[in-house]
Amino acid sequence: MTIWTILGIEPTQNKKEIKKAYAKMAKVYHPETHPEQFEQLQEAYQKALEYAKGNPVHQEEPVKVEPEIKPETHLEFDVDPIESNVPPIPRSKELFQETKETNKTDNNQYVVENIVSSLPKKIDATTLKDLFENSLVQTYKSDPIFCGKLEKALIKKTFIGTYEEFQVMLKLLDEHGFIQAKKKVQKFQNAYLVSSKQSKVYRAIFIIVVIAVSGALTLFMQNIEDDSEPDDTKQVEPLDIDTDKTMNQLNEPFLNGFTIKDGSLIDENDHVVIENIDDVIYTMSNYIVIHNDQGYLSYDTKTKTSVNLEYNDVVLVQRKEETTTYYLGLNQDGTWYLSDLQGNVLEQLAEDPSLSNDLEVIEY
């Protein structure tokens, strides 16, 4: 039997074809159910790779047959009593242990190559889950050498998915102790979050530009109409811009389907969540600060939860050195505090934020 018969292909120096054939046959001869065939397959695979490199190899793979010894057979020899006392040659445990470990390392390398060769360049949550459920991975998952080689192969891959899918991948890697691969996935997740936020900002900027162009075009058309009128006493009516509607449009990408309409907060299913709203503070995020007859509250449109703000006045502020982070200025009986958008106080302010050199009040 030749190495090519074992691999199930014609003689070739194409490494890709050899690896593909090995991966196919490794699924047939599992190391647990067919250990001898699997070992023979690995030897054939190694020799085929040597052949692909141009090295001469013996392509005939000997068939291993165990000698048959009948249990009732008694072998009798004429042995000199003196010679029978010769002590046996001691067996080196270190030599056999080293050979065993070497074979084990080689086997791990072949198995990892077999698994990795079937993986795409870009890994998503489904692919990673299928990988850890693979029968070969389940067999070798307790072997630290195998796991180390598999993790190194994963680190070279690109990971893709949504935020939720990245969370699934991080959990899988953590469960299997792949710490370095987990750090790699976290980098891809952070890059995804940055690109997602940038996309939302670009959408908001686009809306602002559209509104500005629309307003300028309206004013231009009105000026043309004024020029055509002979009556010089005719005055141009000021543009009637609904500020609340405009800010609602600008914040739409962040509000998860929520909107403010007719003094009420409406969810994505057109259900009224909060009524009798007389003031709204948009924060360019999933948080909306609302004031009604009950006072101020911060509503999270993502988790659909609210936090009461027990303060006399609330304003939206920004640190002058930070252009993308918003805070709340909270006034309680003349004392001002700086908090995050959920109302968690960060520090007490020395003065009204509108008078501060470090803060800027955002007004609509």
Side-chain angles (χ1 to χ4, degrees):
M1 182 182 296
T2 68
I3 60 175
W4 309 110
T5 305
I6 296 173
L7 291 171
I9 58 174
E10 296 295 328
T12 178
Q13 288 187 315
N14 188 323
K15 292 183 180 180
K16 186 175 182 181
E17 290 297 325
I18 294 173
K19 291 182 179 180
K20 184 177 179 181
Y22 171 74
K24 180 180 178 181
M25 297 305 296
K27 295 178 181 179
V28 178
Y29 299 112
H30 193 277
E32 283 191 348
T33 56
H34 303 84
E36 293 182 2
Q37 290 88 338
F38 184 72
E39 182 179 355
Q40 194 175 28
L41 175 63
Q42 287 181 330
E43 293 176 1
Y45 173 62
Q46 186 178 16
K47 290 183 178 181
L49 289 179
E50 289 297 322
Y51 177 79
K53 294 177 182 178
N55 299 327
V57 295
H58 183 63
Q59 300 185 29
E60 293 289 336
E61 185 69 21
V63 179
K64 300 178 182 179
V65 180
E66 296 293 335
E68 182 180 359
I69 301 177
K70 297 181 180 180
E72 296 181 357
T73 302
H74 299 280
L75 302 178
E76 297 181 359
F77 300 92
D78 293 331
V79 182
D80 191 332
I82 298 177
E83 293 181 357
S84 63
N85 293 329
V86 177
I89 298 175
R91 182 177 181 178
S92 174
K93 295 183 179 180
E94 292 77 8
L95 175 61
F96 285 95
Q97 180 67 23
E98 180 180 355
T99 304
K100 182 178 180 182
E101 292 298 327
T102 302
N103 291 337
K104 183 178 180 182
T105 302
D106 292 341
N107 291 346
N108 287 338
Q109 182 65 35
Y110 299 144
V111 174
V112 171
E113 288 181 359
N114 170 32
I115 295 172
V116 174
S117 64
S118 63
L119 291 177
K121 293 183 179 180
K122 296 182 179 180
I123 306 293
D124 57 15
T126 302
T127 304
L128 190 62
K129 184 179 179 182
D130 292 341
L131 172 64
F132 285 123
E133 291 178 353
N134 181 283
S135 58
L136 287 175
V137 175
Q138 290 294 318
T139 301
Y140 288 90
K141 67 179 182 180
S142 59
D143 188 337
I145 298 177
F146 169 80
C147 291
K149 292 181 179 294
L150 182 58
E151 184 175 21
K152 287 182 179 179
L154 283 176
I155 292 175
K156 298 178 181 179
K157 299 292 183 179
T158 300
F159 295 88
I160 58 174
T162 63
Y163 177 81
E164 290 75 14
E165 291 172 341
F166 276 116
Q167 290 295 103
V168 172
M169 288 189 279
L170 290 173
K171 183 178 179 181
L172 285 171
L173 293 169
D174 186 59
E175 290 175 351
H176 290 81
F178 284 26
I179 305 301
Q180 298 303 319
K182 180 181 177 182
K183 292 180 180 179
K184 181 71 175 291
V185 172
Q186 285 175 331
K187 291 182 179 180
F188 280 100
Q189 184 186 43
N190 292 337
Y192 166 80
L193 291 175
V194 171
S195 63
S196 178
K197 290 181 180 179
Q198 288 177 343
S199 177
K200 291 180 179 179
V201 171
Y202 293 151
R203 288 177 59 188
I205 293 174
F206 175 75
I207 294 174
I208 293 174
V209 172
V210 170
I211 294 174
V213 171
S214 177
L217 183 60
T218 302
L219 182 60
F220 176 73
M221 295 302 296
Q222 288 181 346
N223 288 335
I224 292 177
E225 293 176 359
D226 292 343
D227 292 340
S228 62
E229 291 290 337
D231 186 6
D232 295 335
T233 60
K234 183 178 180 181
Q235 298 182 353
V236 177
E237 294 293 332
L239 292 177
D240 183 15
I241 300 177
D242 189 339
T243 305
D244 288 339
K245 182 178 180 180
T246 301
M247 293 308 301
N248 193 34
Q249 291 175 337
L250 292 176
N251 283 264
E252 182 180 355
F254 310 100
L255 299 183
N256 300 293
F258 282 73
T259 185
I260 302 293
K261 185 177 180 181
D262 299 330
S264 298
L265 178 64
I266 312 295
D267 65 13
E268 71 276 15
N269 299 316
D270 291 332
H271 296 151
V272 176
V273 180
I274 301 176
E275 297 179 310
N276 303 322
I277 298 175
D278 54 37
D279 191 18
V280 179
I281 299 177
Y282 295 96
T283 65
M284 297 297 285
S285 71
N286 50 294
Y287 292 99
I288 310 177
V289 177
I290 294 172
H291 184 270
N292 60 6
D293 52 1
Q294 302 296 321
Y296 284 99
L297 61 89
S298 175
Y299 190 86
D300 187 349
T301 59
K302 185 176 182 180
T303 61
K304 299 183 180 180
T305 57
S306 62
V307 176
N308 290 327
L309 304 175
E310 305 293 340
Y311 294 91
N312 305 124
D313 192 16
V314 178
V315 295
L316 185 67
V317 298
Q318 210 175 27
R319 296 186 188 274
K320 292 184 178 180
E321 68 272 12
E322 298 178 8
T323 58
T324 58
T325 305
Y326 292 91
Y327 302 90
L328 296 180
L330 309 175
N331 180 15
Q332 181 65 41
D333 299 328
T335 302
W336 285 90
Y337 302 90
L338 186 71
S339 77
D340 60 18
L341 298 180
Q342 294 177 285
N344 300 312
V345 174
L346 304 175
E347 60 180 284
Q348 180 176 337
L349 300 177
E351 56 187 349
D352 187 321
S354 62
L355 304 176
S356 173
N357 294 327
D358 301 324
L359 300 174
E360 180 180 359
V361 176
I362 309 300
E363 298 181 356
Y364 300 130

